[in-house]
Amino acid sequence: MKKEIDTKTYLEKIIIGCKKGNVLHQELLYKHFYGYALSICRLYTYSNDDAVSILNDSFLKVFSSIKKKGFNNNIPFKNWLRRILINTAIDNYRKNVKHYYHLEVENEEHIYADSDVIDDLAFKDILKLLDQLPEMHRIVFNLHEIQGFNHKEISEKLKIAESTSRVFLTRAKKKLRILIDKNF
């Protein structure tokens, strides 16, 4: 409990410094959440470079927002940051969407992955699998399965129909089953 209070007080001091535009406090906040933020950004990109770019764009938004409006202590900072990271990743997708569209022809095939194999997958293995999904399938899969958004929320964020979100999720899961079976 003491450590939790100390961490909260530490974070509050850093945020106050960020509100004042103190670069040292901004650097401390960036370093404090770097690993957490990068892990979220990496779920929405194919490369670490793109993930770092989204992370940096997100922190620019965070610092700008803290300085202009302050931070609302009613919600945990980590949750607020997560929302900014996801929205920035989606904005990045929209900005580059013209590069992502391609037709994917799939054969109808039912393959069921062994649940023991799935339990043994490491984070790097999961990223390698996700990297093989088409961009939109990957984004919908991450938003639904990892971040917990429902199809209505996903359709609003991505400006697609709910049914399209469901189709992308189904295709992503199907392709992941095939990839797991093929690679593991």
Side-chain angles (χ1 to χ4, degrees), residues 104-113 129 132-134 137 141 145 166-182:
E104 183 179 324
V105 179
E106 298 177 358
N107 294 330
E108 186 64 32
E109 188 176 330
H110 295 286
I111 297 178
Y112 300 96
L129 291 171
Q132 295 178 57
L133 293 177
H137 296 177
F141 180 84
E145 296 297 327
R166 285 187 189 87
V167 167
F168 284 146
L169 179 62
T170 301
R171 288 180 181 171
K173 287 180 176 181
K174 179 180 176 186
K175 181 147 186 161
L176 285 171
R177 280 188 210 98
I178 292 168
L179 291 169
I180 288 169
D181 189 56
K182 180 178 167 185

Side-chain angles (χ1 to χ4, degrees), residues 47-181:
S47 74
N48 284 334
D49 291 340
D50 290 340
V52 170
S53 177
I54 291 170
L55 180 141
N56 290 333
D57 290 347
S58 297
F59 270 101
L60 288 174
K61 291 177 184 179
V62 166
F63 298 141
S64 174
S65 182
I66 287 174
K67 196 169 182 178
K68 287 180 186 171
K69 304 175 208 168
F71 170 68
N72 178 359
N73 287 332
N74 294 336
I75 59 169
F77 181 82
K78 202 171 188 177
N79 293 355
W80 182 67
L81 174 62
R82 178 180 154 268
R83 181 178 297 154
I84 291 173
L85 293 164
I86 292 170
N87 287 339
T88 304
I90 291 170
D91 290 344
N92 182 66
Y93 167 77
R94 284 190 194 125
K95 183 174 73 175
N96 297 308
V97 73
K98 61 186 169 277
H99 304 293
Y100 295 132
Y101 279 116
H102 66 278
L103 180 63
E104 183 179 324
V105 179
E106 298 177 358
N107 294 330
E108 186 64 32
E109 188 176 330
H110 295 286
I111 297 178
Y112 300 96
D114 182 2
S115 62
D116 291 338
V117 171
I118 294 170
D119 293 339
D120 293 338
L121 290 177
F123 183 71
K124 285 183 179 183
D125 296 328
I126 294 170
L127 281 179
K128 284 178 187 175
L129 291 171
L130 291 175
D131 284 346
Q132 295 178 57
L133 293 177
E135 185 73 9
M136 193 58 133
H137 296 177
R138 177 189 176 111
I139 290 173
V140 171
F141 180 84
N142 285 328
L143 288 171
H144 189 274
E145 296 297 327
I146 296 172
Q147 302 298 335
F149 289 94
N150 63 40
H151 289 291
K152 184 174 182 357
E153 293 168 325
I154 293 169
S155 70
E156 290 169 358
K157 283 187 170 301
L158 298 178
K159 296 181 175 42
I160 59 175
E162 281 184 58
S163 59
T164 304
S165 174
R166 285 187 189 87
V167 167
F168 284 146
L169 179 62
T170 301
R171 288 180 181 171
K173 287 180 176 181
K174 179 180 176 186
K175 181 147 186 161
L176 285 171
R177 280 188 210 98
I178 292 168
L179 291 169
I180 288 169
D181 189 56

Side-chain angles (χ1 to χ4, degrees), residues 4-25:
E4 184 180 315
I5 293 170
D6 290 344
T7 304
K8 188 174 182 181
T9 307
Y10 171 75
L11 189 57
E12 287 171 352
K13 288 178 183 176
I14 291 176
I15 292 171
I16 290 169
C18 289
K19 183 163 177 60
K20 294 177 182 176
N22 185 311
V23 177
L24 177 63
H25 285 93

